[in-house]
Amino acid sequence: MALRLPSKVLKHILSFIDSNEDRNSVSLVCKSWFETERKTRKRVFVGNCYAVTPAAVARRFPEMRSLTLKGKPHFADYNLVPDGWGGYACPWIEAMAAKSPSLEEIRLKRMVVTDECLERIAASFKDFKVLVLTSCEGFSTDGIAAIASTCRNLRVLELRECIVEDLGGDWLSYFPETSTSLVSLDFSCLDSEVKISDLERLVSRSPNLKSLKLNPAVTLDGLVSILRRAPQLTELGTGSFAAELKPEAFTKLSKAFSNCKQLQSLSGLWDVLPEYLPALYSVCPGLTSLNLSYATVRMPDLVELLRRCSKLQKLWVMDLIEDKGLEAVASYCKELRELRVFPSEPDLDATNIPVTEQGLVYVSKGCRKLESVLYFCVQFTNAALITIARKRPNLKCFRLCVIEPFAPDYKTNEPLDKGFKAIAEGCKDLRRLSVSGLLSDKAFKYIGKHAKKVRMLSIAFAGDSDLMLHHLLSGCQSLKKLEIRDCPFGDTALLENAAKLETMRSLWMSSCFVSFGACKLLSQKMPRLNVEVIDEHPPKTRPESSPVERIYIYRTVAGPRMDTPEFVWTLHKNPEIGVSKLAIK
Amino acid sequence: MITELEMGKGESELELGLGLSLGGGTAAKIAGKSGGGAWGERGRLLTAKDFPSVGSKRAADSPSHAGSSPPRSSQVVGWPPIGSHRMNSLVNNQATKSAREEEEAGKKKVNDDHQPKDVTKKVNGKVQLGFIKVNMDGVAIGRKVDLNAHSSYENLAQTLEDMFFRTNPGTIGLTGQFTKPLRLLDGSSEFVLTYEDKEGDWMLVGDVPWRMFITSVKRLRVMKTSEANGLAARHQEPKERQRNQPA
């Protein structure tokens, strides 16, 4: 006799399960669990917009209220993906408009969004509440105005690091005249000035506003007047933090901040004039998140600020903080969980980088809760990496960027193999890893073997041979995203481990030695992978064995995509390329 | 098991096995076309120069440099990996900073703005002696060598040959080509070793005593012999100058 959990009971149980990973596991149990789960999933996450069709998603999840989509590969952030590659939001919006009109939240990352798209969103979803666009492009402030004016229940509008055609600050005046339901507004990536009076009025009629991130065009004066009207803010992104030095200006600013008793997160801080920093002292004790990564302020001023931030959990800062400043962070910010140190000089030839491996060692020793690191510096040592691994086995995300390509351990002149071995072995919960510096195949043997939970791995200028890629693809049990640039890897490892690629979300390789022939072969043999060759030169003009500029391989149930530009070659689109001439054993 | 890459066997087709990771993979052999042509041609790390039109609106215009020819590593696309918003902001900062510095520099005697920084620049109070940059024509990524770790020109040339044309079997050096010993110093190969001295002149390496060389060298460049011809004429004068100076 088959016992079945009544679907009502299962439904009730599932209402407590939010994690999509868990829900995915639930759907695999049996057909009826699959059915119950899909009818109750409200928040849908699609990590690669080309892995599945919009129609399929709409069909499967009829109760969808929130959709998160990611488009371009991560390396697009560093200009490695040419314009026009793809990642268009429109087909998704069209499909959802037709099939899921109750959609309330849309979050897009690295996608191309047009004004028409935004207008469609505004027109199609009656109860639309949340729009978050991260690293998106293709739209103008007109599209934003459409959202502002039409979505009467809008709670969240965040534009994070988008490229927006800025037609002026008028969009701000399109919010409804009556009280708004705005909880969060982020327009920090826009260039042009907004009218302060518009902003003041908006803030005054948005009683629920908790998070506000201004753009650099907003002056300190403007900031003061906003803060007076919104002392309840928990998250603030300032505008430009510089103005003519006047004592009254300072006093007003100081007072405005001291009234913001609930402020937990502070960012923006462009063009900081150090004389104005003390205005922030009153909010420091309550801060859990501080983004100083645009503040070109020297170490002593930074330390004066940071020593007051005893509750700080997240700190983003420039390398101007120096090792000494990081030593101070290690002693004052005991709650620190995430640290990011960015370079202040973009020029690779600069030899004067103020932070060394010592800075990170200080923080690793002093901050017990540290679990996420992004660190740029010129060079590193194995000893430092070993210490960091030993002190912080709880690291979940470790991204080290040794700016000098191929830089060895500068004290011993050896590759950084031992150091990264220690990280991979010691930090058992590591989910994300970026390696750099001089590395041999050995390093990747260790990583392949020990980094069991790493889901995302980034590699540049590393390795000696194909063996490295083989170690990674045949090891790294949890690997989902692998991105590689400028490494001497070729076809062998890729083809040997073809099956692994179906267990991953995607693989990116640029400036490596993968041949066109291998791409074709992979394409032919693995129909559930989309193999994209991104290359300026048409394949016909080159021999099969010549390396291609970039490849992007991802698993998909949507079949080949139809919106590829000229410079993307796929077997499906270009069948005239013919079958691979490679002999198959 | 993957065998090491074997190249230059002179066979006309590539043979590759498609292992599906089910019990042992098939061993794969990659045979390059004769003369290492197929890999040799394209087998180099690509640079921003290879993507003239395929770029992105996001790319910030890098500050213009003095017309010195060694490819500056700052021209490598997307390195260091900093998002474009941040990059733009940094470039703007640099522009304002250099504008300010130019104003203030009126009184001080400043070296040519685009002179590479002094080898003995202090970093965090520690002096970084001896490391100088080496660039090679056709290779985007520069390297650094520690001059203090070398005792002679032969030493240095050997290190550079190892660096740019690795001699280990189964590995591909920075240029993607396999070994042929370089002989950088005797003028017999495709490349010559040159250096920029404190006065900004480019000279052929090897003309002055080693000790004198290491005090005056600012950076190195492995240049194509064809391009180095101009140097011979150019460096007559400075050479005369040096001969006339007390040792």
Side-chain angles (χ1 to χ4, degrees), chain A residues 25-43:
Chain A
S25 306
V26 164
S27 354
L28 291 175
V29 169
C30 65
K31 274 203 176 138
S32 73
W33 279 42
F34 177 88
E35 285 298 308
T36 311
E37 192 284 314
R38 76 174 187 88
K39 288 179 185 158
T40 57
R41 192 182 301 204
K42 295 223 163 56
R43 319 188 67 85

Side-chain angles (χ1 to χ4, degrees), chain A residues 285-503:
Chain A
L287 285 182
T288 55
S289 165
L290 181 54
N291 183 350
L292 289 163
S293 63
Y294 289 99
T296 48
V297 174
R298 302 270 142 209
M299 184 268 293
D301 297 312
L302 288 172
V303 170
E304 255 322 288
L305 193 65
L306 289 168
R307 70 178 186 79
R308 294 170 155 88
C309 301
S310 55
K311 287 208 191 127
L312 206 59
Q313 295 181 16
K314 174 172 142 176
L315 174 63
W316 291 20
V317 73
M318 281 190 162
D319 58 12
L320 301 168
I321 193 170
E322 296 178 29
D323 287 345
K324 199 149 176 246
L326 289 173
E327 193 180 8
V329 168
S331 73
Y332 293 118
C333 308
K334 291 299 191 192
E335 297 295 311
L336 201 66
R337 284 150 170 72
E338 176 179 333
L339 174 70
R340 294 198 189 187
V341 177
F342 295 96
S344 51
E345 303 240 336
D347 190 352
L348 287 183
D349 288 337
T351 47
N352 183 24
I353 306 275
V355 294
T356 71
E357 79 282 4
Q358 190 52 48
L360 187 54
V361 169
Y362 286 139
V363 179
S364 305
K365 283 184 175 166
C367 302
R368 298 233 168 93
K369 299 188 184 172
L370 188 70
E371 53 180 34
S372 173
V373 171
L374 169 61
Y375 200 77
F376 283 83
C377 63
V378 170
Q379 49 199 12
F380 228 77
T381 63
N382 280 311
L385 283 169
I386 292 170
T387 306
I388 292 167
R390 201 181 62 229
K391 289 289 173 183
R392 294 277 64 80
N394 50 324
L395 280 175
K396 294 213 170 77
C397 167
F398 187 73
R399 298 162 70 188
L400 177 65
C401 181
V402 176
I403 300 182
E404 180 77 28
F406 312 116
D409 175 328
Y410 71 93
K411 290 194 175 148
T412 64
N413 240 14
E414 292 172 343
L416 291 177
D417 297 347
K418 282 193 211 138
F420 278 107
K421 174 184 186 220
I423 295 282
E425 264 185 322
C427 305
K428 301 204 188 306
D429 284 328
L430 201 61
R431 302 186 134 231
R432 184 166 178 185
L433 177 64
S434 299
V435 300
S436 52
L438 185 66
L439 295 162
S440 78
D441 289 338
K442 270 207 212 120
F444 299 98
K445 191 172 173 197
Y446 302 139
I447 293 175
K449 190 167 170 216
H450 295 288
K452 299 197 165 73
K453 292 208 182 152
V454 166
R455 298 166 54 96
M456 182 168 177
L457 188 51
S458 310
I459 305 174
F461 308 112
D464 296 320
S465 72
D466 230 16
L467 214 45
M468 166 183 148
L469 183 57
H470 174 68
H471 285 315
L472 293 178
L473 290 178
S474 59
C476 292
Q477 290 150 295
S478 308
L479 196 60
K480 291 280 170 270
K481 287 193 281 185
L482 179 57
E483 46 187 24
I484 301 173
R485 64 164 294 176
D486 294 278
C487 296
F489 309 144
D491 306 332
T492 321
L494 196 59
L495 293 171
E496 277 272 330
N497 293 283
K500 170 82 167 183
L501 298 175
E502 270 188 16
T503 67

Side-chain angles (χ1 to χ4, degrees), chain A residues 50-82:
Chain A
Y50 290 118
V52 63
T53 63
V57 173
R59 220 173 21 238
R60 179 173 168 186
F61 301 111
E63 294 301 307
M64 175 170 41
R65 292 287 175 273
S66 153
L67 176 63
T68 303
L69 282 176
K70 292 189 181 182
K72 301 186 201 176
H74 171 235
F75 273 0
D77 286 354
Y78 315 126
N79 295 341
L80 289 178
V81 178

Side-chain angles (χ1 to χ4, degrees), chain A residues 535-551:
Chain A
D535 199 320
E536 255 194 311
H537 308 89
K540 272 195 202 153
T541 66
R542 302 199 316 206
E544 297 239 325
S545 52
S546 67
V548 296
E549 286 167 2
R550 317 161 223 235
I551 60 171

Side-chain angles (χ1 to χ4, degrees), chain B residues 226-244:
Chain B
S226 48
E227 286 191 36
N229 287 333
L231 279 188
R234 242 184 9 131
H235 86 257
Q236 292 298 351
E237 263 186 39
K239 233 180 139 190
E240 301 281 83
R241 232 189 296 142
Q242 275 168 353
R243 282 213 197 99
N244 291 336

